[in-house]
Amino acid sequence: MVEDGGEEEAEGENGEMPAAAAVLPLQRCNGFLPGKEAEDGGRAAPAGGGQRAAEAEAMLSAAGGRVETRLSRRRLAVLAVFSCYSLVNAFQWIQYSILSNVFASFYGVSFTQIDWLSMVYMVAYVPLILPATWLLDARGLRLTALLGAGLNGLGAWLKCASLAPGRYPITLAAQAVCAVAQVFILGLPSRIASVWFGPTEVSTACAVAVLGNQLGTAIGFLLPPVLVPNTPNDIDLMAHNISIMFYGTAIVSTLLFFLTGVVFEEKPKYPPSHSQAVLQTMPPEDYSYKQSIINLFKNIPFVLLLISYGIMTGAFYSVSTLLNQMIVTHYEGEEVNAGRIGLTLVVAGMVGSIICGLWLDYTKTYKQTTLIVYILSFIGLLVFTFTLDLGYLIVVFVTGGVLGFFMTGYLPLGFEFAVEITYPESEGTSSGLLNASAQIFGIVFTLVQGKLTTDYSPRAGNLFLCAWIFVGIILTALIKSDLRRHNVNSGIMNLDVKAVSSDS
């Protein structure tokens, strides 16, 4: 429905909901300061869907008003631009690791120092995530998006100053800037999905947002080995090839920064869902970021998910960082195929992400889907481990694809599962903590797996990861699922049907 005057909010869910004042008391656990609950009749955290619906029905009769929800056309542009600059950031993360032997030769450093060009992303994330999520909650989506895109471009241009042997410290500093940009990127998928997309498409939108990051990793596996072939006897040619990659990345990053400024808005004119309409009515002056963090750590299902998500995603980071070393150990001179195997792993994971997102939107079976994907990732890593040294690259392509389908496909599942079991806490805060856990596990796993791979074999390093993923399966099975956001949306929509029926 288009309003007079060319209003862009054309697509609708013309859903309606009880007036904000009627629904607000149900949602007081969203990091609000102690004592505020009493002002609203003593109601605290959301209860089960039935109780919530019953209370909302009573208040609906008293309030007699409704708030309109619609979908904005701009949401697709916001999602596309975010996915693109997230892609470039992920590309910059992996572009060194997939050419670890080339860059070690070019800068005259060890493989461990090249590994740190990947691990700096993980190291920077941990201390900065709490300030970044506070900024997202306090200053909003647009500023956070501009910081992520801007720092991404700045880091890309700084890399152009490191195009000579002996300038490893410069490229490390540039990569550190890109790592800071990542802090303002990884927590946004669930926030963008919740703020801009309706309840029947939010999981798919989150999967697409994560997909951009995965596609960047995929391109980072594929393109650098093609652009920068290993020419150890011609350092000038190597520098020229690296410059093509660095300058091209910088130009694309700058363009995406300007597009972010044009496309991104804080939120659509109308809320896209009932749960978002509820959250938007909460007084910002009552919000306590510290209390929100405390609420999350008191939520036992979230704590279990925090650890299990960290294990799975940390394992993915470790495998991605060390893939070149694993492949070249058994298949000497196959740097290009190592990149193609990485591409296969991530592209298969992108397909898995989309399928899982569509499945969640259709079924809302968050725990069951997450647990099944976790188990299949464990099986996939075992098969990949024991077929890696058979001498057949085609087998590695197949097993790598299967592993990627489930391991990479798990990433958006964790985001959406966390939002469901922690609603109405901020999506940026829960996503930020999940990513911090992933970075911590990623650092530890990369260091330990790298040591095992160097001193023993890739099999020893992979079995180390398998043991930890098995622990993650147990933790996931222990999570008690309480789909709060889904219950709010479905409960209030059912009330709307009753209200419309009575009106007619």
Side-chain angles (χ1 to χ4, degrees):
M1 179 184 297
V2 182
E3 296 181 357
D4 294 337
E7 173 57 55
E8 69 162 293
E9 313 292 329
E11 301 178 27
E13 242 192 35
N14 249 343
E16 298 173 336
M17 64 167 287
V23 184
L24 181 57
L26 295 172
Q27 311 300 333
R28 281 302 187 188
C29 71
N30 187 25
F32 278 70
L33 296 174
K36 293 295 179 183
E37 294 85 355
E39 298 173 11
D40 295 308
R43 295 179 180 87
Q51 178 181 342
R52 186 183 297 110
E55 292 178 0
E57 185 171 15
M59 287 181 283
L60 173 62
S61 300
R66 301 190 186 102
V67 174
E68 191 172 22
T69 62
R70 295 186 185 181
L71 298 180
S72 168
R73 289 196 185 100
R74 183 182 286 264
R75 73 192 191 282
L76 301 178
V78 169
L79 184 62
V81 171
F82 169 79
S83 297
C84 287
Y85 79 73
S86 179
L87 178 156
V88 176
N89 184 259
F91 174 85
Q92 295 197 81
W93 164 57
I94 206 65
Q95 67 184 165
Y96 293 101
S97 295
I98 199 59
L99 292 173
S100 55
N101 56 333
V102 173
F103 279 105
S105 173
F106 181 73
Y107 288 118
V109 297
S110 67
F111 280 102
T112 301
Q113 288 173 287
I114 297 301
D115 289 344
W116 273 106
L117 293 172
S118 170
M119 288 190 290
V120 68
Y121 265 57
M122 308 172 203
V123 173
Y125 195 91
V126 177
L128 294 177
I129 183 52
L130 291 182
T133 52
W134 173 85
L135 185 71
L136 176 60
D137 288 337
R139 299 300 300 273
L141 183 61
R142 176 177 165 82
L143 177 62
T144 306
L146 285 170
L147 279 172
L151 290 171
N152 202 39
L154 177 61
W157 282 109
L158 287 175
K159 289 181 183 181
C160 298
S162 69
L163 290 169
R167 294 185 182 178
Y168 172 82
I170 298 176
T171 211
L172 177 61
Q175 189 75 333
V177 174
C178 296
V180 175
Q182 177 207 217
V183 181
F184 299 102
I185 294 173
L186 289 188
L188 292 189
S190 56
R191 172 63 68 91
I192 290 172
S194 294
V195 170
W196 284 89
F197 288 82
T200 61
E201 57 188 17
V202 63
S203 295
T204 304
C206 183
V208 171
V210 174
L211 193 70
N213 201 267
Q214 297 172 357
L215 181 59
T217 305
I219 296 174
F221 279 126
L222 177 66
L223 199 56
V226 175
L227 293 176
V228 189
N230 191 8
T231 56
N233 297 322
D234 193 342
I235 297 299
D236 290 337
L237 177 60
M238 187 180 293
H240 173 73
N241 292 332
I242 294 173
S243 71
I244 293 174
M245 180 170 66
F246 282 177
Y247 277 104
T249 304
I251 292 170
V252 172
S253 299
T254 303
L255 174 63
L256 288 170
F257 170 70
F258 287 115
L259 282 176
T260 301
V262 172
V263 169
F264 262 77
E265 289 184 353
E266 191 58 40
K267 60 184 179 181
K269 182 175 181 180
Y270 296 100
S273 67
H274 301 304
S275 58
Q276 271 301 304
V278 168
L279 292 179
Q280 289 178 15
T281 61
M282 293 182 174
E285 65 272 13
D286 290 342
Y287 180 77
S288 167
Y289 180 70
K290 177 182 177 181
Q291 186 61 39
S292 183
I293 295 288
I294 292 172
N295 290 340
L296 287 174
F297 279 103
K298 286 182 177 179
N299 185 329
I300 300 303
F302 176 73
V303 173
L304 293 173
L305 179 62
L306 186 68
I307 299 171
S308 61
Y309 183 89
I311 290 172
M312 176 64 78
T313 312
F316 169 72
Y317 291 160
S318 184
V319 169
S320 300
T321 300
L322 300 171
L323 183 63
N324 174 271
Q325 296 177 44
M326 284 191 278
I327 300 301
V328 174
T329 297
H330 296 296
Y331 305 92
E332 188 175 352
E334 294 289 354
E335 291 87 359
V336 172
N337 274 321
R340 290 171 179 167
I341 291 169
L343 173 69
T344 303
L345 186 149
V346 178
V347 169
M350 291 161 54
V351 175
S353 294
I354 293 297
I355 291 175
C356 289
L358 292 170
W359 177 256
L360 288 185
D361 278 331
Y362 180 72
T363 67
K364 306 301 180 184
T365 54
Y366 290 85
K367 177 180 176 178
Q368 298 92 321
T369 303
T370 301
L371 182 58
I372 290 171
V373 171
Y374 220 115
I375 293 171
L376 293 174
S377 297
F378 172 74
I379 296 172
L381 184 56
L382 278 176
V383 174
F384 177 79
T385 298
F386 287 101
T387 58
L388 183 61
D389 59 354
L390 292 181
Y392 299 100
L393 270 174
I394 186 62
V395 174
V396 184
F397 272 97
V398 173
T399 56
V402 172
L403 174 64
F405 182 87
F406 296 112
M407 182 176 276
T408 316
Y410 171 84
L411 303 184
L413 291 179
F415 281 149
E416 283 301 289
F417 195 13
V419 172
E420 287 295 333
I421 62 179
T422 63
Y423 178 88
E425 302 298 342
S426 166
E427 303 91 349
T429 306
S430 61
S431 297
L433 291 175
L434 287 180
N435 281 319
S437 176
Q439 310 303 325
I440 293 171
F441 277 101
I443 294 168
V444 174
F445 287 173
T446 301
L447 291 173
V448 175
Q449 187 187 10
K451 182 69 173 175
L452 291 172
T453 299
T454 301
D455 293 351
Y456 298 98
S457 68
R459 176 174 294 185
N462 285 337
L463 288 176
F464 166 78
L465 294 183
C466 288
W468 275 99
I469 292 178
F470 184 77
V471 173
I473 292 173
I474 297 172
L475 294 176
T476 303
L478 294 175
I479 297 174
K480 182 179 179 181
S481 178
D482 178 17
L483 306 184
R484 297 178 177 182
R485 179 181 62 178
H486 171 63
N487 289 339
V488 167
N489 279 321
S490 60
I492 294 177
M493 282 190 286
N494 288 337
L495 296 179
D496 291 342
V497 173
K498 293 182 182 179
V500 170
S501 298
S502 63
D503 288 345
S504 59

